[in-house]
Amino acid sequence: MIVVAIIGLLAAIAIPNFVKARVTAQQTGCINNLRQMDGAVQTLALEKHLGDNDSYSLNDLKPYIKLDSNGDLPHCPANGTYAPGQCVTNSPSCDKPGHKLP
């Protein structure tokens, strides 16, 4: 009975830490995806001679970023949705709170 109580206590301590670690890993993965997309935007602007106020779409970034096995841009690990910036000087963003470039 004591062993079961100790295991229950350890599980009660460990499970919230696992959840927090998962959320942190998803946020880090999303921010890394946003960094790659921002670099792709800058490369696109350089190659296509885009001005600071020119717009772009996420599909324009496909030649400049590593795609997944389906030929799509990387997805947010927390099921967020990526959106392009208003112009070249604005970085892409994710709709999940806390998933933004520093």
Coordinates of all heavy atoms in Angstrom, one line a residue:
M1 N 0.8 -1.2 0.0 CA 0.0 0.0 0.0 C 0.9 1.3 0.0 O 0.6 2.2 -0.7 CB -0.9 0.0 1.2 CG -1.9 1.0 1.3 SD -3.4 0.4 0.4 CE -4.6 0.9 1.5
I2 N 1.9 1.2 0.7 CA 2.9 2.4 0.8 C 3.5 2.6 -0.5 O 3.7 3.7 -1.0 CB 3.9 2.2 1.9 CG1 3.2 2.2 3.3 CG2 4.9 3.3 1.9 CD1 4.0 1.9 4.5
V3 N 3.9 1.5 -1.2 CA 4.6 1.6 -2.5 C 3.6 2.2 -3.5 O 4.0 3.1 -4.3 CB 5.0 0.2 -3.0 CG1 5.5 0.2 -4.4 CG2 6.1 -0.4 -2.0
V4 N 2.4 1.9 -3.5 CA 1.4 2.4 -4.4 C 1.2 3.9 -4.1 O 1.1 4.8 -5.0 CB 0.0 1.7 -4.3 CG1 -1.0 2.4 -5.1 CG2 0.2 0.3 -4.7
A5 N 1.2 4.3 -2.9 CA 1.1 5.7 -2.5 C 2.3 6.5 -3.0 O 2.2 7.6 -3.5 CB 0.9 5.9 -1.0
I6 N 3.5 6.0 -2.8 CA 4.7 6.6 -3.3 C 4.7 6.8 -4.8 O 5.0 7.9 -5.3 CB 6.0 5.9 -2.8 CG1 6.1 6.0 -1.3 CG2 7.2 6.4 -3.5 CD1 7.2 5.1 -0.7
I7 N 4.3 5.8 -5.5 CA 4.2 5.8 -7.0 C 3.2 6.9 -7.4 O 3.4 7.7 -8.3 CB 3.9 4.5 -7.6 CG1 5.1 3.5 -7.4 CG2 3.6 4.6 -9.1 CD1 4.9 2.1 -7.8
G8 N 2.1 6.9 -6.7 CA 1.1 8.0 -7.0 C 1.6 9.4 -6.8 O 1.3 10.3 -7.5
L9 N 2.3 9.5 -5.7 CA 2.9 10.8 -5.4 C 3.9 11.3 -6.4 O 3.9 12.4 -6.9 CB 3.6 10.8 -4.0 CG 4.2 12.1 -3.5 CD1 3.2 13.2 -3.4 CD2 4.9 11.8 -2.2
L10 N 4.8 10.3 -6.8 CA 5.8 10.6 -7.9 C 5.1 11.0 -9.2 O 5.5 11.9 -9.9 CB 6.7 9.5 -8.0 CG 7.7 9.2 -6.9 CD1 8.5 8.0 -7.1 CD2 8.6 10.4 -6.7
A11 N 4.0 10.3 -9.5 CA 3.3 10.6 -10.8 C 2.6 11.9 -10.7 O 2.6 12.7 -11.7 CB 2.2 9.5 -11.0
A12 N 2.1 12.3 -9.5 CA 1.5 13.6 -9.4 C 2.5 14.7 -9.5 O 2.1 15.8 -10.0 CB 0.8 13.7 -8.0
I13 N 3.7 14.5 -9.2 CA 4.8 15.5 -9.3 C 5.3 15.5 -10.8 O 5.5 16.6 -11.3 CB 5.9 15.2 -8.4 CG1 5.5 15.4 -6.9 CG2 7.1 16.1 -8.7 CD1 6.5 14.9 -5.9
A14 N 5.4 14.3 -11.4 CA 6.0 14.3 -12.7 C 5.1 14.7 -13.9 O 5.6 15.3 -14.8 CB 6.5 12.8 -13.0
I15 N 3.8 14.4 -13.8 CA 2.9 14.7 -14.9 C 2.9 16.2 -15.3 O 3.0 16.5 -16.5 CB 1.5 14.1 -14.7 CG1 1.7 12.5 -14.8 CG2 0.5 14.6 -15.7 CD1 0.4 11.8 -14.4
P16 N 2.7 17.1 -14.4 CA 2.7 18.5 -14.8 C 4.0 18.9 -15.4 O 4.0 19.8 -16.3 CB 2.5 19.2 -13.4 CG 1.8 18.3 -12.6 CD 2.4 16.9 -12.9
N17 N 5.1 18.4 -14.9 CA 6.4 18.7 -15.5 C 6.5 18.2 -17.0 O 7.1 18.9 -17.8 CB 7.6 18.1 -14.7 CG 7.7 18.8 -13.4 OD1 7.3 20.0 -13.3 ND2 8.3 18.1 -12.4
F18 N 6.0 17.0 -17.3 CA 6.0 16.5 -18.6 C 5.1 17.4 -19.5 O 5.5 17.7 -20.7 CB 5.5 15.1 -18.7 CG 6.4 14.1 -18.1 CD1 6.0 13.1 -17.3 CD2 7.8 14.1 -18.5 CE1 6.9 12.2 -16.7 CE2 8.7 13.2 -18.0 CZ 8.2 12.2 -17.1
V19 N 4.0 17.9 -19.0 CA 3.1 18.7 -19.8 C 3.8 20.1 -20.1 O 3.7 20.5 -21.2 CB 1.7 19.0 -19.1 CG1 0.9 20.0 -19.7 CG2 1.0 17.7 -19.0
K20 N 4.4 20.6 -19.1 CA 5.1 21.9 -19.3 C 6.3 21.7 -20.3 O 6.5 22.6 -21.2 CB 5.7 22.4 -18.0 CG 6.4 23.7 -18.1 CD 6.8 24.2 -16.8 CE 7.5 25.6 -17.0 NZ 8.1 26.1 -15.7
A21 N 7.0 20.6 -20.2 CA 8.1 20.3 -21.2 C 7.6 20.2 -22.6 O 8.2 20.7 -23.5 CB 8.9 19.1 -20.8
R22 N 6.4 19.6 -22.7 CA 5.8 19.4 -24.1 C 5.4 20.8 -24.7 O 5.7 21.1 -25.8 CB 4.6 18.5 -24.0 CG 3.9 18.3 -25.3 CD 2.8 17.3 -25.2 NE 2.1 17.2 -26.5 CZ 0.9 17.0 -26.7 NH1 0.1 16.9 -25.6 NH2 0.4 16.9 -27.8
V23 N 4.8 21.6 -23.9 CA 4.4 22.9 -24.3 C 5.6 23.8 -24.7 O 5.6 24.4 -25.7 CB 3.6 23.7 -23.2 CG1 3.3 25.1 -23.6 CG2 2.2 23.0 -23.1
T24 N 6.7 23.7 -23.9 CA 7.9 24.4 -24.2 C 8.5 23.9 -25.5 O 9.0 24.7 -26.3 CB 8.9 24.3 -23.0 OG1 8.2 24.8 -21.8 CG2 10.1 25.1 -23.3
A25 N 8.5 22.6 -25.7 CA 9.1 22.1 -26.9 C 8.3 22.5 -28.1 O 8.9 22.8 -29.2 CB 9.2 20.6 -26.8
Q26 N 7.0 22.5 -28.0 CA 6.2 23.0 -29.1 C 6.4 24.4 -29.5 O 6.5 24.8 -30.6 CB 4.7 22.7 -28.8 CG 4.3 21.3 -28.8 CD 2.8 21.1 -28.4 OE1 2.2 21.9 -27.7 NE2 2.3 20.0 -28.8
Q27 N 6.5 25.2 -28.4 CA 6.8 26.7 -28.7 C 8.2 26.9 -29.3 O 8.3 27.7 -30.2 CB 6.7 27.4 -27.3 CG 7.0 28.9 -27.4 CD 6.9 29.6 -26.1 OE1 6.8 29.0 -25.1 NE2 6.9 30.9 -26.1
T28 N 9.2 26.2 -28.9 CA 10.5 26.3 -29.4 C 10.5 25.8 -30.9 O 11.1 26.5 -31.7 CB 11.5 25.4 -28.6 OG1 11.5 25.9 -27.3 CG2 12.9 25.5 -29.2
G29 N 9.8 24.7 -31.2 CA 9.7 24.2 -32.6 C 9.1 25.3 -33.5 O 9.5 25.5 -34.6
C30 N 8.0 25.9 -33.0 CA 7.3 26.9 -33.8 C 8.2 28.1 -34.0 O 8.2 28.6 -35.2 CB 6.0 27.3 -33.1 SG 5.0 28.5 -34.0
I31 N 8.9 28.6 -33.0 CA 9.7 29.7 -33.2 C 10.8 29.4 -34.2 O 11.2 30.3 -35.0 CB 10.3 30.2 -31.8 CG1 9.1 30.8 -31.0 CG2 11.4 31.2 -32.0 CD1 9.5 31.1 -29.6
N32 N 11.4 28.2 -34.2 CA 12.4 27.8 -35.1 C 11.8 27.8 -36.5 O 12.5 28.2 -37.5 CB 13.0 26.5 -34.8 CG 13.9 26.5 -33.6 OD1 14.5 27.6 -33.3 ND2 14.1 25.4 -32.9
N33 N 10.6 27.3 -36.7 CA 9.9 27.4 -38.0 C 9.8 28.8 -38.5 O 10.0 29.2 -39.7 CB 8.6 26.7 -38.0 CG 8.6 25.2 -37.9 OD1 9.7 24.6 -38.1 ND2 7.5 24.6 -37.5
L34 N 9.4 29.7 -37.6 CA 9.2 31.1 -37.9 C 10.5 31.8 -38.3 O 10.6 32.6 -39.2 CB 8.6 31.9 -36.8 CG 7.1 31.6 -36.5 CD1 6.6 32.3 -35.2 CD2 6.2 32.0 -37.6
R35 N 11.6 31.4 -37.7 CA 12.9 31.9 -38.0 C 13.3 31.4 -39.4 O 13.9 32.2 -40.2 CB 14.0 31.4 -37.0 CG 14.0 32.1 -35.8 CD 15.3 31.8 -35.0 NE 15.2 32.5 -33.7 CZ 15.2 31.9 -32.5 NH1 15.4 30.6 -32.4 NH2 15.1 32.6 -31.4
Q36 N 13.1 30.2 -39.8 CA 13.3 29.7 -41.1 C 12.5 30.5 -42.1 O 13.0 30.8 -43.2 CB 13.1 28.2 -41.2 CG 14.0 27.3 -40.5 CD 13.7 25.9 -40.6 OE1 12.6 25.5 -41.1 NE2 14.6 25.0 -40.3
M37 N 11.2 30.7 -41.8 CA 10.4 31.4 -42.8 C 10.9 32.9 -42.9 O 10.8 33.4 -44.0 CB 8.9 31.4 -42.3 CG 8.3 30.1 -42.5 SD 6.6 30.2 -42.0 CE 6.2 28.5 -41.6
D38 N 11.3 33.5 -41.8 CA 11.8 34.9 -41.9 C 13.0 34.9 -42.8 O 13.2 35.8 -43.6 CB 12.1 35.4 -40.5 CG 12.4 36.9 -40.6 OD1 11.7 37.6 -41.3 OD2 13.4 37.3 -39.9
G39 N 13.9 34.0 -42.6 CA 15.1 33.9 -43.5 C 14.7 33.7 -45.0 O 15.3 34.3 -45.9
A40 N 13.7 32.9 -45.2 CA 13.2 32.7 -46.6 C 12.6 33.9 -47.1 O 12.8 34.2 -48.3 CB 12.2 31.5 -46.6
V41 N 11.9 34.7 -46.3 CA 11.4 36.0 -46.8 C 12.5 36.9 -47.2 O 12.4 37.6 -48.2 CB 10.5 36.6 -45.7 CG1 10.1 38.1 -46.0 CG2 9.2 35.8 -45.4
Q42 N 13.5 37.0 -46.4 CA 14.6 37.9 -46.7 C 15.3 37.4 -48.0 O 15.7 38.3 -48.8 CB 15.6 38.0 -45.5 CG 15.0 38.5 -44.3 CD 14.2 39.8 -44.4 OE1 14.7 40.7 -45.1 NE2 13.0 39.8 -43.9
T43 N 15.5 36.1 -48.2 CA 16.1 35.6 -49.4 C 15.2 35.9 -50.6 O 15.7 36.3 -51.7 CB 16.4 34.1 -49.3 OG1 17.2 33.9 -48.1 CG2 17.1 33.6 -50.5
L44 N 13.9 35.7 -50.5 CA 13.0 36.0 -51.5 C 13.1 37.5 -51.9 O 13.1 37.8 -53.1 CB 11.5 35.7 -51.1 CG 10.4 36.2 -51.9 CD1 10.3 35.3 -53.2 CD2 9.1 36.1 -51.2
A45 N 13.1 38.4 -50.9 CA 13.1 39.8 -51.2 C 14.4 40.2 -51.9 O 14.4 41.0 -52.8 CB 13.0 40.6 -49.9
L46 N 15.5 39.5 -51.5 CA 16.8 39.8 -52.1 C 16.8 39.3 -53.6 O 17.3 40.1 -54.5 CB 17.9 39.1 -51.3 CG 19.4 39.4 -51.8 CD1 19.7 40.9 -51.5 CD2 20.3 38.5 -51.0
E47 N 16.3 38.1 -53.9 CA 16.4 37.6 -55.2 C 15.4 38.2 -56.1 O 15.6 38.4 -57.3 CB 16.1 36.1 -55.2 CG 17.3 35.3 -54.7 CD 17.2 33.8 -54.9 OE1 16.2 33.4 -55.4 OE2 18.1 33.1 -54.4
K48 N 14.2 38.6 -55.6 CA 13.1 39.2 -56.5 C 13.2 40.7 -56.5 O 12.3 41.4 -57.0 CB 11.8 38.7 -56.0 CG 11.6 37.2 -56.0 CD 11.6 36.6 -57.4 CE 11.3 35.1 -57.3 NZ 11.3 34.5 -58.5
H49 N 14.2 41.3 -55.8 CA 14.3 42.8 -55.7 C 13.0 43.4 -55.1 O 12.5 44.4 -55.7 CB 14.6 43.4 -57.1 CG 15.9 42.8 -57.7 ND1 17.1 43.0 -57.2 CD2 16.0 41.9 -58.7 CE1 18.0 42.3 -57.9 NE2 17.3 41.7 -58.9
L50 N 12.5 42.8 -54.1 CA 11.3 43.4 -53.4 C 11.7 44.5 -52.5 O 12.7 44.5 -51.8 CB 10.6 42.3 -52.6 CG 10.1 41.1 -53.4 CD1 9.4 40.1 -52.4 CD2 9.1 41.5 -54.5
G51 N 10.8 45.5 -52.4 CA 11.1 46.7 -51.5 C 10.5 46.3 -50.1 O 9.9 45.3 -49.9
D52 N 10.8 47.2 -49.2 CA 10.4 47.0 -47.8 C 8.9 46.9 -47.6 O 8.4 46.2 -46.7 CB 10.9 48.1 -46.9 CG 12.4 48.0 -46.7 OD1 13.0 47.0 -47.0 OD2 13.0 49.0 -46.2
N53 N 8.1 47.5 -48.4 CA 6.7 47.6 -48.3 C 6.0 46.6 -49.2 O 4.7 46.6 -49.3 CB 6.2 49.0 -48.5 CG 6.6 49.9 -47.5 OD1 6.8 49.6 -46.3 ND2 6.9 51.2 -47.9
D54 N 6.7 45.8 -50.0 CA 6.1 44.8 -50.9 C 5.6 43.6 -50.0 O 6.1 43.3 -49.0 CB 7.1 44.3 -51.9 CG 7.5 45.3 -52.9 OD1 6.7 46.3 -53.1 OD2 8.5 45.2 -53.5
S55 N 4.5 43.0 -50.5 CA 3.9 41.9 -49.8 C 4.3 40.6 -50.4 O 4.9 40.5 -51.5 CB 2.3 42.0 -49.9 OG 1.9 41.9 -51.2
Y56 N 4.1 39.5 -49.7 CA 4.4 38.2 -50.1 C 3.4 37.2 -49.5 O 2.6 37.6 -48.6 CB 5.8 37.8 -49.6 CG 6.0 37.7 -48.1 CD1 5.8 36.5 -47.5 CD2 6.2 38.8 -47.3 CE1 5.9 36.4 -46.1 CE2 6.3 38.8 -46.0 CZ 6.1 37.6 -45.3 OH 6.2 37.5 -44.0
S57 N 3.4 36.0 -50.0 CA 2.5 35.0 -49.5 C 3.4 33.8 -49.0 O 4.6 33.7 -49.4 CB 1.5 34.4 -50.5 OG 2.2 33.7 -51.5
L58 N 2.8 33.0 -48.2 CA 3.6 31.8 -47.7 C 4.0 30.9 -48.8 O 5.0 30.2 -48.8 CB 2.8 31.1 -46.6 CG 2.7 31.9 -45.3 CD1 1.9 31.0 -44.3 CD2 4.0 32.3 -44.7
N59 N 3.2 30.8 -49.8 CA 3.5 29.9 -51.0 C 4.8 30.4 -51.7 O 5.5 29.7 -52.4 CB 2.4 29.8 -52.0 CG 1.3 28.9 -51.4 OD1 1.6 27.9 -50.7 ND2 0.1 29.1 -51.8
D60 N 5.0 31.7 -51.7 CA 6.2 32.3 -52.3 C 7.5 31.8 -51.6 O 8.6 31.8 -52.2 CB 6.2 33.8 -52.2 CG 5.1 34.5 -53.0 OD1 4.6 33.8 -54.0 OD2 4.7 35.6 -52.7
L61 N 7.4 31.3 -50.4 CA 8.6 30.9 -49.7 C 9.0 29.4 -50.0 O 10.1 29.0 -49.5 CB 8.3 31.0 -48.2 CG 7.9 32.4 -47.7 CD1 7.6 32.3 -46.2 CD2 8.8 33.4 -48.1
K62 N 8.2 28.7 -50.6 CA 8.4 27.2 -50.9 C 9.8 27.0 -51.5 O 10.5 26.0 -51.1 CB 7.3 26.6 -51.7 CG 6.1 26.3 -50.8 CD 5.1 25.5 -51.6 CE 3.9 25.2 -50.7 NZ 2.9 24.4 -51.4
P63 N 10.3 27.7 -52.5 CA 11.6 27.4 -53.0 C 12.8 27.7 -52.1 O 13.9 27.3 -52.3 CB 11.7 28.3 -54.2 CG 10.3 28.8 -54.5 CD 9.6 28.8 -53.2
Y64 N 12.5 28.4 -51.0 CA 13.6 28.9 -50.1 C 13.6 28.2 -48.7 O 14.4 28.6 -47.9 CB 13.4 30.4 -49.9 CG 13.4 31.2 -51.2 CD1 12.2 31.6 -51.7 CD2 14.5 31.4 -51.9 CE1 12.1 32.3 -52.9 CE2 14.5 32.1 -53.1 CZ 13.3 32.6 -53.6 OH 13.3 33.2 -54.8
I65 N 12.8 27.3 -48.5 CA 12.7 26.6 -47.2 C 12.5 25.1 -47.4 O 12.0 24.7 -48.4 CB 11.5 27.2 -46.4 CG1 11.6 26.8 -44.9 CG2 10.2 26.8 -47.0 CD1 10.7 27.7 -44.0
K66 N 13.0 24.3 -46.5 CA 12.9 22.9 -46.6 C 11.4 22.5 -46.3 O 10.8 22.9 -45.3 CB 13.8 22.2 -45.5 CG 13.7 20.7 -45.6 CD 14.7 20.0 -44.7 CE 14.5 18.5 -44.8 NZ 15.4 17.8 -43.8
L67 N 10.8 21.8 -47.2 CA 9.4 21.4 -47.2 C 9.3 20.0 -46.5 O 10.3 19.2 -46.4 CB 8.8 21.3 -48.6 CG 9.0 22.6 -49.4 CD1 8.4 22.4 -50.8 CD2 8.3 23.8 -48.7
D68 N 8.1 19.7 -46.0 CA 7.9 18.4 -45.4 C 7.7 17.4 -46.5 O 7.8 17.6 -47.7 CB 6.7 18.4 -44.4 CG 5.4 18.7 -45.1 OD1 5.3 18.7 -46.3 OD2 4.4 18.9 -44.3
S69 N 7.4 16.1 -46.1 CA 7.3 15.0 -47.1 C 6.1 15.2 -48.1 O 6.1 14.6 -49.1 CB 7.2 13.7 -46.3 OG 6.0 13.7 -45.5
N70 N 5.2 16.0 -47.7 CA 4.0 16.3 -48.6 C 4.3 17.5 -49.5 O 3.4 17.9 -50.3 CB 2.8 16.5 -47.8 CG 2.4 15.3 -47.1 OD1 2.6 14.2 -47.5 ND2 1.7 15.5 -45.9
G71 N 5.4 18.2 -49.4 CA 5.7 19.3 -50.2 C 5.1 20.6 -49.6 O 4.9 21.6 -50.3
D72 N 4.8 20.6 -48.4 CA 4.2 21.7 -47.7 C 5.2 22.4 -46.8 O 6.2 21.8 -46.4 CB 3.0 21.3 -46.8 CG 1.8 20.7 -47.7 OD1 1.6 21.2 -48.8 OD2 1.1 19.8 -47.2
L73 N 4.9 23.7 -46.4 CA 5.7 24.4 -45.5 C 5.6 23.7 -44.1 O 4.6 23.0 -43.9 CB 5.3 25.8 -45.4 CG 5.6 26.7 -46.6 CD1 4.9 28.0 -46.4 CD2 7.0 26.9 -46.8
P74 N 6.6 23.8 -43.2 CA 6.4 23.2 -41.9 C 5.2 23.7 -41.2 O 4.8 24.9 -41.4 CB 7.7 23.7 -41.2 CG 8.6 24.1 -42.2 CD 7.8 24.5 -43.4
H75 N 4.6 22.9 -40.3 CA 3.4 23.3 -39.6 C 3.8 23.5 -38.1 O 4.8 23.0 -37.6 CB 2.4 22.1 -39.6 CG 1.9 21.8 -41.0 ND1 1.0 22.7 -41.7 CD2 2.2 20.8 -41.8 CE1 0.8 22.1 -42.9 NE2 1.5 21.0 -43.0
C76 N 3.0 24.3 -37.5 CA 3.2 24.6 -36.1 C 3.0 23.3 -35.3 O 2.0 22.6 -35.4 CB 2.2 25.7 -35.6 SG 2.3 26.0 -33.8
P77 N 3.9 22.9 -34.4 CA 3.8 21.7 -33.6 C 2.6 21.7 -32.7 O 2.1 20.7 -32.3 CB 5.1 21.6 -32.8 CG 6.0 22.5 -33.5 CD 5.2 23.5 -34.2
A78 N 2.1 22.9 -32.3 CA 0.9 23.0 -31.4 C -0.4 23.3 -32.2 O -1.4 23.7 -31.7 CB 1.1 24.1 -30.5
N79 N -0.4 23.0 -33.5 CA -1.5 23.1 -34.4 C -2.0 24.6 -34.6 O -3.1 24.9 -34.8 CB -2.7 22.3 -33.9 CG -2.4 20.8 -34.0 OD1 -1.7 20.4 -34.9 ND2 -2.9 20.0 -33.1
G80 N -1.0 25.5 -34.5 CA -1.3 26.9 -34.8 C -1.3 27.1 -36.3 O -0.9 26.2 -37.1
T81 N -1.6 28.3 -36.7 CA -1.7 28.6 -38.1 C -0.7 29.7 -38.4 O -0.7 30.8 -37.7 CB -3.1 29.1 -38.5 OG1 -4.0 28.1 -38.2 CG2 -3.2 29.4 -40.0
Y82 N 0.1 29.6 -39.4 CA 1.1 30.6 -39.8 C 0.5 31.6 -40.7 O -0.4 31.2 -41.6 CB 2.3 30.0 -40.5 CG 3.2 29.1 -39.5 CD1 3.6 27.9 -39.9 CD2 3.5 29.6 -38.3 CE1 4.4 27.1 -39.0 CE2 4.3 28.9 -37.4 CZ 4.7 27.6 -37.8 OH 5.5 26.9 -37.0
A83 N 0.9 32.8 -40.6 CA 0.4 33.9 -41.5 C 1.6 34.7 -42.0 O 2.5 34.9 -41.2 CB -0.6 34.8 -40.8
P84 N 1.6 35.2 -43.2 CA 2.7 36.1 -43.6 C 2.6 37.4 -43.0 O 1.5 37.8 -42.5 CB 2.5 36.2 -45.1 CG 1.0 35.9 -45.3 CD 0.6 35.0 -44.3
G85 N 3.7 38.1 -42.9 CA 3.7 39.5 -42.4 C 3.0 40.4 -43.4 O 2.7 40.0 -44.6
Q86 N 2.6 41.6 -43.0 CA 2.0 42.6 -43.9 C 2.9 43.0 -45.1 O 2.4 43.2 -46.2 CB 1.6 43.8 -43.1 CG 0.5 43.6 -42.1 CD -0.8 43.2 -42.7 OE1 -1.2 43.7 -43.8 NE2 -1.5 42.4 -42.0
C87 N 4.2 43.0 -44.8 CA 5.1 43.3 -45.9 C 6.5 42.6 -45.6 O 6.6 41.9 -44.6 CB 5.3 44.8 -46.0 SG 5.9 45.6 -44.4
V88 N 7.4 42.8 -46.4 CA 8.7 42.1 -46.3 C 9.4 42.4 -45.0 O 10.0 41.5 -44.4 CB 9.6 42.5 -47.5 CG1 11.0 41.9 -47.3 CG2 9.1 41.9 -48.8
T89 N 9.2 43.6 -44.4 CA 9.9 43.9 -43.2 C 9.2 43.3 -41.9 O 9.8 43.3 -40.9 CB 10.0 45.4 -43.0 OG1 8.7 46.0 -43.1 CG2 10.9 46.0 -44.0
N90 N 8.0 42.8 -42.1 CA 7.3 42.1 -41.0 C 7.5 40.6 -41.1 O 7.2 40.0 -42.1 CB 5.8 42.5 -41.0 CG 5.6 43.9 -40.8 OD1 6.5 44.7 -40.5 ND2 4.3 44.4 -41.0
S91 N 7.9 40.0 -40.0 CA 8.1 38.6 -40.0 C 6.8 37.8 -40.0 O 5.7 38.3 -39.6 CB 8.8 38.2 -38.7 OG 10.1 38.8 -38.7
P92 N 6.8 36.5 -40.5 CA 5.6 35.7 -40.4 C 5.2 35.5 -39.0 O 6.1 35.7 -38.1 CB 6.1 34.4 -41.1 CG 7.3 34.7 -41.8 CD 7.9 35.9 -41.2
S93 N 4.0 35.1 -38.7 CA 3.5 34.9 -37.3 C 2.7 33.7 -37.2 O 2.3 33.1 -38.2 CB 2.7 36.1 -36.9 OG 1.6 36.3 -37.8
C94 N 2.5 33.3 -35.9 CA 1.7 32.1 -35.6 C 0.5 32.6 -34.7 O 0.7 33.6 -33.9 CB 2.5 31.1 -34.8 SG 1.6 29.6 -34.4
D95 N -0.6 32.0 -34.8 CA -1.8 32.5 -34.0 C -1.8 32.0 -32.6 O -2.7 32.4 -31.8 CB -3.1 32.2 -34.7 CG -3.4 30.7 -34.9 OD1 -2.5 29.9 -34.6 OD2 -4.5 30.4 -35.3
K96 N -0.9 31.1 -32.2 CA -0.8 30.6 -30.8 C -0.1 31.7 -29.9 O 0.9 32.2 -30.3 CB -0.1 29.3 -30.8 CG -0.8 28.1 -31.4 CD -1.9 27.7 -30.5 CE -2.5 26.4 -31.0 NZ -3.5 25.9 -30.1
P97 N -0.7 31.9 -28.7 CA 0.0 32.9 -27.8 C 1.4 32.4 -27.5 O 1.6 31.2 -27.2 CB -0.9 32.9 -26.6 CG -2.2 32.3 -27.1 CD -1.9 31.4 -28.2
G98 N 2.3 33.3 -27.5 CA 3.7 33.0 -27.1 C 4.5 32.4 -28.2 O 5.8 32.3 -28.1
H99 N 3.9 32.1 -29.4 CA 4.7 31.6 -30.5 C 5.0 32.8 -31.4 O 4.3 33.1 -32.4 CB 3.8 30.6 -31.3 CG 3.6 29.3 -30.6 ND1 3.4 28.2 -31.2 CD2 3.7 29.0 -29.2 CE1 3.2 27.2 -30.3 NE2 3.4 27.7 -29.1
K100 N 6.0 33.6 -31.1 CA 6.4 34.7 -31.9 C 7.9 34.9 -31.8 O 8.6 34.4 -30.9 CB 5.7 36.0 -31.5 CG 6.0 36.4 -30.1 CD 5.3 37.6 -29.7 CE 5.6 38.0 -28.3 NZ 5.0 39.3 -27.9
L101 N 8.5 35.5 -32.9 CA 9.9 35.7 -32.9 C 10.2 36.8 -31.8 O 9.5 37.8 -31.7 CB 10.3 36.2 -34.3 CG 10.3 35.1 -35.3 CD1 10.6 35.7 -36.7 CD2 11.3 34.0 -35.0
P102 N 11.4 36.7 -31.2 CA 11.8 37.7 -30.2 C 12.2 39.0 -30.8 O 12.4 39.1 -32.0 CB 13.0 37.0 -29.5 CG 13.4 35.8 -30.3 CD 12.3 35.5 -31.2

